[in-house]
């Protein structure tokens, strides 16, 4: 991951010499996530517990961060983007006899490239259409905490990773005066595959009790606000 | 331009660091709200243990189902003698109580575990439970070889078995063994005391069994009850009457009636069980069978329809026994006003007294060990002569001593026949070929002899001075100085063979009875003293003390006044078993029979 970030910085520095200008965008907002398989996993876990527990958090929309750099001329836009997204869930119950928590956390580092076109170009307003594709590098962690009277006191953790491809079409609306502009991003991220999470190497993939392979699905809306610096 | 680049780098690095530190996290917790815990009430919906003590006669399966007032029952644990035998999730199940626990007492414990109802996690995983328990004493009993007892209650035989102490008794069944070893139920009830309402004393093999609600039959005892029949006995009842008497039967309520039979002839019907005496139809000397025939009130297993009939029989003799021995040979003889002599046992004479009604003296003949026969007694009863062990013994009956004993074979001519004896120790001996002699037992010498093939000595007077001799006629001889002088003579026919003897009431007289007339004569000259008509067939005896005379005539024993021939008593008599048994004597108002019986007619 560090190599990707270094390459990103090097690419930005070299692209500064291109004509037409360079834009550095920093975007943040709320993302929704599909995560159907993991949600079902939560329900299975919850129903199999010998006591009543609830899913208090189940992959609700969460913040994402996405810096990008692009070069553009009067019409076309090319660029690289990195984004970080994170979400999770919790199964929980607690009383004076014990506590149970099951936390699932996933996060991904996305690296992709995009191209686009400037649809509207005014002095203080600009509209861009983009299409981005890239790689999702997901980290998955499961943490179980169980304390029950003096009989149980366990903490179990498990980590896994996954790599997937994604595509994200979006529209961006810029408002501002050079070199700084604010923008609104409306996009939807499609995960292009459902490769399973795995531990260590791909020989050990994760599956649930029914033998179904576990995978993350980051597909969802991306609604963000951002700050753009134009050099 | 340089400032813009510096701004860019600071901006980019800050964003990178910021994004890496903002990952998903949550502090949401679901707090489980606990409920207040209450103590539940637990009750059995189904439990085959009714009492605190369980009596075990066989392997039992106990089913249970409990219900709790509030919290659900999680599981149930069964333990015996603190050893778990079963543990079942839920509120119902079953377990075994087995005989192999061993005889004796054991402890059964059932524990019911319920969730607390708080709703906590600990409760939900089964860790937080409330428990209630109850213990029972399990008493393992044996039902082998239990005896039945019996008793009589309100006139019924009741069999008493061991109590079945289990809590699943349906009823007790009393059975009686029928044919081919079959057991036939005769009574049922809820207590182990059951009647045989048809028991008439016949005995039987009884079994009492307890039937349980699950259909088992457990033996509570058995008894082979011996027969307990009514035993009628002959007794002398009121008015000197012979009666058959029996004890009121203990099973009187089972009897509807009695029929009495005497010699298989129905006599009477008795319905009052208090009637325990039946007067025998009296015929002196008669032997027979008395039968008490009982009819049951209720149907008995021994009959398919109607009533059960059972007989109780007893032999009787119409007379009072005096326990004579070998009575076919020996005629009892009067020896005093109240006494008579008879053969009481082997070579022993007994003297029975009617004053005390007991055997007063015994005389044991010491010189021989053979049967006694040919017994004669002098007309006064003072002397007795009997053939014992080949010798004739002369016995003083007053002293009960042997006066002399000797063989009279030379005088008898090789035969054994009765020797008529006097009070003075002389005997009249009949020779085998005819003729007779008067022999002095003390010396063995003959005092006089009569010869002739048809001559036969009949009687010898008590003083020994006179004798009655039969030839073609009956003659009275007087023995004077060793010579016999004929005093008088009577002719007789063989058809109407007369009976003659010396008068026991007056030694100077004798009498002759020709079955129609009895005549008394004086010894000295044969002159008639008195004569009266007297019909009969066999002359029996004269009681010299009462002056009464006994004659057998047509199945009757008739008592006459010897003085005038008037009939005093007429007693039916029947003893046809042996003609010899017609010999009877009169003693003190009683007829004493050779058959060992006497009867008081006065």
């Amino acid at each position: 991951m560090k190599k990707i970030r270094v390459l990103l910085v090097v690419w930005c520095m070299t692209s500064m010499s291109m004509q037409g200008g360079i834009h550095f965008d920093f975007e943040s907002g709320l993302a929704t996530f599909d995560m159907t398989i993991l949600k079902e996993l939560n329900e299975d876990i919850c129903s199999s517990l010998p006591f009543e527990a609830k899913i208090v958090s189940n992959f609700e929309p969460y913040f994402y961060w996405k810096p990008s750099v692009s070069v553009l001329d009067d019409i076309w836009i090319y660029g690289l983007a990195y984004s970080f997204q994170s979400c999770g869930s919790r199964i929980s119950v607690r009383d004076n006899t014990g506590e149970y928590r099951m936390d699932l956390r996933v996060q991904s580092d996305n690296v992709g490239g995009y191209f686009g076109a400037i649809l509207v170009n005014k002095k203080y307003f600009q509209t861009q259409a983009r299409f981005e594709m890239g790689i999702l590098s997901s980290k998955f962690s499961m943490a179980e905490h169980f304390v029950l009277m003096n009989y149980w006191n366990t903490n179990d953790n498990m980590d896994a990773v996954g790599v997937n491809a994604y595509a994200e079409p979006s529209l961006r609306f810029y408002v501002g005066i050079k070199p700084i502009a604010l923008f609104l991003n409306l996009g939807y991220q499609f995960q292009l595959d459902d490769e399973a999470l795995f531990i260590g190497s791909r020989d050990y993939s994760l599956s649930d009790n029914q033998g179904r392979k576990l995978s993350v699905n980051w597909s969802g809306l991306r609604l963000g606000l951002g700050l753009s610096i134009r050099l | 331009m340089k400032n813009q680049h510096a701004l860019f780098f600071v901006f980019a690095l800050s964003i990178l660091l910021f994004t890496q530190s903002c990952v998903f996290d949550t502090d949401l917790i679901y707090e489980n709200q606990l409920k207040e815990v209450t103590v539940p009430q637990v009750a059995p919906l189904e439990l085959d243990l009714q009492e605190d003590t369980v009596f075990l006669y066989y392997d039992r399966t106990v089913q249970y189902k409990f219900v709790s007032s509030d919290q659900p029952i999680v599981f149930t644990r069964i333990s015996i003698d603190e050893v778990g035998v079963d543990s079942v999730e839920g509120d119902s199940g079953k377990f075994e109580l087995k005989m192999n626990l061993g005889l004796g007492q054991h402890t059964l414990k059932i524990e019911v575990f319920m969730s607390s109802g708080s709703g906590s996690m600990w409760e939900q995983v089964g860790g937080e439970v409330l428990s209630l328990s109850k213990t029972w004493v399990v008493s393992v009993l044996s039902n082998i070889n239990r005896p039945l007892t019996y008793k009589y209650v309100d006139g019924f035989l009741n069999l008493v078995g061991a109590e079945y102490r289990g809590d699943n008794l349906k009823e007790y069944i009393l059975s009686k063994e029928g044919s081919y070893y079959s057991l036939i139920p005769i009574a049922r009830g809820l207590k182990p005391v059951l009647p045989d309402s048809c028991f008439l004393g016949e005995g039987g093999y009884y079994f009492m069994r307890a039937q349980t609600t699950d259909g088992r039959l457990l033996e509570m005892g058995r008894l082979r009850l011996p027969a307990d029949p009514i035993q009628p006995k002959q007794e002398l009842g009121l008015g000197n009457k012979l009666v058959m008497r029996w004890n009121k039967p203990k099973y009187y309520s089972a009897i509807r009636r009695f029929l009495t039979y005497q010699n298989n002839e129905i006599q009477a019907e008795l319905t009052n069980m208090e009637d325990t005496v039946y007067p025998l139809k009296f015929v002196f000397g008669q032997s027979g069978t008395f039968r008490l025939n009982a009819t049951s009130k209720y149907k008995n297993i021994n009959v398919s329809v109607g009533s059960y009939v059972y007989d109780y029989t007893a032999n009787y003799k119409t007379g009072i026994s005096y326990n004579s021995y070998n009575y076919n040979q020996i005629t009892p003889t009067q020896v005093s006003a109240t006494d008579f002599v008879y053969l009481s046992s082997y070579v022993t004479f007994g003297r029975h007294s009617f004053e005390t009604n007991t055997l007063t003296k015994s005389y044991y003949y010491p010189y021989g060990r053979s049967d006694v026969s040919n017994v004669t007694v002098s007309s006064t009863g003072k002397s007795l002569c009997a053939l014992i062990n080949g010798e004739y013994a002369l016995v003083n009956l007053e002293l009960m001593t042997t006066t002399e004993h000797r063989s009279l074979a030379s005088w008898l001519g090789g035969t054994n026949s009765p020797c008529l004896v006097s009070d003075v120790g002389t005997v009249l001996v009949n020779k085998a070929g005819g003729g007779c002699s008067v022999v002095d037992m003390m010396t063995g010498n003959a005092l006089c002899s009569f010869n002739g093939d048809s001559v036969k000595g009949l009687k010898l007077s008590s003083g020994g001075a006179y004798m009655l001799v039969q030839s073609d006629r009956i003659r009275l001889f007087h023995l004077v100085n060793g010579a016999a002088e004929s005093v008088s003579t009577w002719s007789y026919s063989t058809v109407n063979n007369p009976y003659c003897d010396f008068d026991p009431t007056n030694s100077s007289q004798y009498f002759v009875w020709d079955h129609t007339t009895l005549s008394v004569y004086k010894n000295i000259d044969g002159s008639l003293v008195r004569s009266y008509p007297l019909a009969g067939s066999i002359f029996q005896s004269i009681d010299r003390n009462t002056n009464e005379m006994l004659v057998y005539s047509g199945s009757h024993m008739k008592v006459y006044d010897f003085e005038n021939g008037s009939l005093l008593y007429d007693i039916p008599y029947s003893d046809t078993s042996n003609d010899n048994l017609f010999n009877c004597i009169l003693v003190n108002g009683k007829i004493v029979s050779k058959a060992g019986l006497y009867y008081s007619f006065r």
Side-chain angles (χ1 to χ4, degrees), chain A residues 16 24 26 52 94 105, chain B residues 5 8 15 24-25 31 124:
Chain A
M16 290 172 67
F24 294 96
F26 180 77
E52 182 186 4
R94 183 173 69 185
R105 287 181 179 149
Chain B
H5 287 170
F8 165 73
I15 288 173
F24 169 82
D25 198 5
E31 293 288 349
Q124 292 179 64

Side-chain angles (χ1 to χ4, degrees), chain B residues 45 53 67 108 118 123 151 167 197 276 297 325 336 347 368 398 404 411 457 508 539 550 552 560 562 580 601:
Chain B
L45 274 184
T53 300
V67 62
L108 166 68
S118 68
E123 182 210 4
K151 61 182 179 181
D167 55 5
S197 56
T276 58
K297 277 183 185 173
Y325 175 78
S336 71
V347 295
E398 291 180 329
E404 187 56 82
W411 302 109
S508 65
F539 195 91
L550 183 66
Y552 175 77
Y560 295 96
F562 181 57
N580 289 330
F601 56 84

Side-chain angles (χ1 to χ4, degrees), chain B residues 244-453:
Chain B
M244 296 303 291
R245 184 187 298 278
W246 57 92
N247 294 325
K248 179 183 176 183
K250 290 167 279 190
Y251 36 85
Y252 58 87
S253 293
I255 300 172
R256 181 161 61 87
R257 69 170 185 186
F258 285 123
L259 292 177
T260 60
Y261 290 82
Q262 187 170 350
N263 285 339
N264 291 325
E265 292 182 2
I266 189 168
Q267 302 296 320
E269 178 180 357
L270 306 177
T271 56
N272 184 355
M273 293 299 112
E274 301 298 328
D275 290 340
T276 58
V277 177
Y278 175 73
L280 286 170
K281 186 184 290 181
F282 181 76
V283 176
F284 176 56
Q286 186 182 62
S287 298
T289 302
F290 175 78
R291 180 155 56 97
L292 197 58
N293 173 264
T295 302
S296 70
K297 277 183 185 173
Y298 306 103
K299 186 173 178 294
N300 187 284
I301 66 166
N302 296 316
V303 291
S304 56
V305 293
S307 299
Y308 177 51
V309 175
Y310 195 64
D311 282 333
Y312 316 96
T313 58
N315 294 325
Y316 68 88
K317 283 184 178 179
T318 48
I320 300 170
S321 174
Y322 59 88
N323 295 324
S324 67
Y325 175 78
N326 198 12
Y327 53 79
N328 283 339
Q329 297 295 325
I330 309 300
T331 301
T333 305
Q334 183 180 22
V335 293
S336 71
T338 58
D339 295 2
F340 68 95
V341 169
Y342 65 102
L343 193 63
S344 61
S345 67
Y346 186 66
V347 295
T348 300
F349 293 97
R351 180 164 178 152
H352 185 95
S353 172
F354 284 125
E355 281 187 319
T356 59
N357 236 359
T358 56
L359 177 68
T360 55
K361 287 183 180 177
S362 289
Y363 167 69
Y364 171 71
Y365 182 73
Y367 304 110
R369 291 290 183 271
S370 64
D371 288 344
V372 177
S373 64
N374 296 311
V375 178
T376 60
V377 178
S378 65
S379 57
T380 59
K382 292 180 181 175
S383 296
L384 177 146
C385 183
L387 178 62
I388 307 174
N389 199 29
E391 292 182 332
Y392 281 86
L394 182 63
V395 178
N396 186 323
L397 291 176
E398 291 180 329
L399 301 176
M400 282 294 195
T401 57
T402 304
T403 304
E404 187 56 82
H405 61 97
R406 64 176 64 250
S407 170
L408 299 176
S410 60
W411 302 109
L412 291 168
T415 64
N416 291 323
S417 61
C419 297
L420 304 169
V421 65
S422 69
D423 292 343
V424 295
T426 58
V427 293
L428 179 57
V429 179
N430 285 302
K431 292 183 180 177
C436 60
S437 299
V438 176
V439 179
D440 186 349
M441 280 290 289
M442 305 305 292
T443 63
N445 296 322
L447 299 178
C448 67
S449 295
F450 305 93
N451 297 317
D453 294 343

